[in-house]
Amino acid sequence: MKGSGNGAAVNSILLRRSIRRWFPVFLLPMVAAFCIGFVWPFLQGMFLSFCKFKTTSKWTWVGISNYVKAIQDDSFMYSFGYTALFALISLVLINVLAFAVAYALTQKIKGSNLFRTVFFMPNLIGGIVLGYIWSMIFDGFLSRYGTSIMVNTTWGFWGLIILMCWQQIGYMMIIYIAGLQAVPEDMLEAARIDGANGWQTLFKVTIPNVMPSITICMFLTLTNGFKLFDQNLALTGGQPYVINPDGTSIHTTEMLALNIYNTFYGQASNSRGVAQAKAVLFFILVAAIGLIQLRSTRQKEVQQ
């Protein structure tokens, strides 16, 4: 027995040495890909946000003027408010509905596996495809009333909400199911013995233990809501629009990502620096909101 113990210790030492030896071989390609694909473009984008440029090799330093123009852009500020409202409503609806579906499918009902598959499938469809599909669905319905989703701001907003919910509820449902299945059975049994009813067990036992899943789902839905682009482009394209007294226009269903895209590609080439500044502000905004949300919800997690 002593010999086998020594052999296990030697094997463990050899394994650790092997890992240390080959670790760089597997790590370096990943680090190189991350630097080439993310770090360098990000740093270059940060630099170009302080420049006036047509191409990345032809630029003129202009300082913070791009950021001043971005903040003074009425369409950008409108898109920020519109996106914030969209992200908040979609955050609540997606998480409430996804949790409700997950809770129902963990109650040992017949065909639960089939229902899980059906609810998850919309997440496999690309955003552009979903946008065009739902555009035809909405216009087929709204044409009876002489309107279209692209000429009505209210319909455009709720159309995006419905599309977002339909696509993401199934994905969040899977995360919630994993969290619900990890709730300790002895805690649920103790609650039943103490006479707690279903609602009391749900709010006092189940939800506190599912907070890690709630944290993840809230982070994903919040950031996805702010970053929404494909569906916005395909469903409404930002339409309709209103003309300001100064001649500029505001697209009333245009979200932040689409506003940045339209500024970069849809306006004069000398506005690309402003679009890049908007992109940097967009990154800071999403990162800050995401970190605040993570910090606030993690404080409510139950340590098992």
Side-chain angles (χ1 to χ4, degrees):
M1 295 295 294
K2 184 176 180 180
S4 63
N6 291 335
V10 171
N11 290 334
S12 177
I13 294 173
L14 292 176
L15 178 61
R16 287 197 295 269
R17 289 179 180 177
S18 179
I19 291 174
R20 286 196 297 266
R21 179 184 304 170
W22 294 102
F23 182 73
V25 175
F26 294 98
L27 179 65
L28 288 178
M30 182 183 66
V31 173
F34 179 74
C35 292
I36 295 172
F38 177 79
V39 175
W40 170 244
F42 177 78
L43 294 176
Q44 188 178 39
M46 288 283 291
F47 172 76
L48 291 174
S49 69
F50 294 96
C51 301
K52 180 180 179 180
F53 68 96
K54 293 184 179 179
T55 65
T56 57
S57 59
K58 297 180 180 180
W59 50 268
T60 303
W61 182 266
V62 295
I64 64 171
S65 62
N66 286 334
Y67 288 90
V68 174
K69 292 178 182 178
I71 295 174
Q72 292 176 345
D73 186 348
D74 291 338
S75 66
F76 182 66
M77 300 310 295
Y78 173 86
S79 295
F80 168 70
Y82 184 85
T83 305
L85 179 62
F86 173 87
L88 178 62
I89 294 177
S90 63
L91 169 73
V92 174
L93 289 178
I94 290 173
N95 282 281
V96 170
L97 293 175
F99 183 85
V101 173
Y103 188 76
L105 294 180
T106 53
Q107 300 305 305
K108 299 179 180 180
I109 63 175
K110 293 183 178 180
S112 60
N113 291 332
L114 175 62
F115 286 121
R116 293 179 190 184
T117 303
V118 171
F119 279 112
F120 182 77
M121 285 181 63
N123 188 71
L124 303 177
I125 305 175
I128 289 288
V129 176
L130 276 180
Y132 284 124
I133 291 173
W134 278 97
S135 177
M136 292 186 289
I137 294 173
F138 288 131
D139 283 342
F141 171 77
L142 295 175
S143 61
R144 304 175 184 177
Y145 303 96
T147 185
S148 168
I149 196 169
M150 296 185 69
V151 300
N152 188 298
T153 303
T154 302
W155 280 110
F157 178 83
W158 287 106
L160 286 168
I161 290 289
I162 293 171
L163 189 158
M164 190 76 164
C165 290
W166 191 76
Q167 183 183 27
Q168 295 200 8
I169 284 176
Y171 185 81
M172 304 305 160
M173 173 201 70
I174 297 297
I175 299 176
Y176 280 127
I177 286 176
L180 288 167
Q181 290 177 338
V183 176
E185 186 62 33
D186 56 347
M187 296 183 68
L188 297 174
E189 184 65 27
R192 288 191 288 267
I193 293 173
D194 289 341
N197 58 35
W199 289 107
Q200 290 172 329
T201 302
L202 175 64
F203 286 101
K204 299 296 184 180
V205 179
T206 303
I207 291 180
N209 281 279
V210 183
M211 277 306 299
S213 295
I214 294 175
T215 297
I216 296 171
C217 289
M218 288 186 65
F219 176 79
L220 291 175
T221 50
L222 187 63
T223 54
N224 288 341
F226 272 96
K227 296 186 299 180
L228 191 72
F229 173 74
D230 296 3
Q231 298 88 332
N232 190 198
L233 177 64
L235 186 65
T236 67
Q239 302 296 328
Y241 64 89
V242 295
I243 304 297
N244 293 326
D246 60 358
T248 59
S249 62
I250 293 179
H251 292 73
T252 57
T253 62
E254 183 182 68
M255 302 182 70
L256 279 173
L258 184 58
N259 179 268
I260 295 169
Y261 173 86
N262 287 334
T263 302
F264 194 94
Y265 292 105
Q267 300 180 10
S269 59
N270 59 6
S271 66
R272 292 183 175 180
V274 178
Q276 194 62 47
K278 289 181 178 181
V280 173
L281 293 173
F282 180 55
F283 167 78
I284 295 172
L285 171 69
V286 174
I289 292 175
L291 291 174
I292 292 172
Q293 179 267 317
L294 282 175
R295 181 178 178 83
S296 62
T297 52
R298 279 178 174 171
Q299 291 176 347
K300 300 178 182 179
E301 293 181 5
V302 175
Q303 299 298 325
Q304 296 182 6

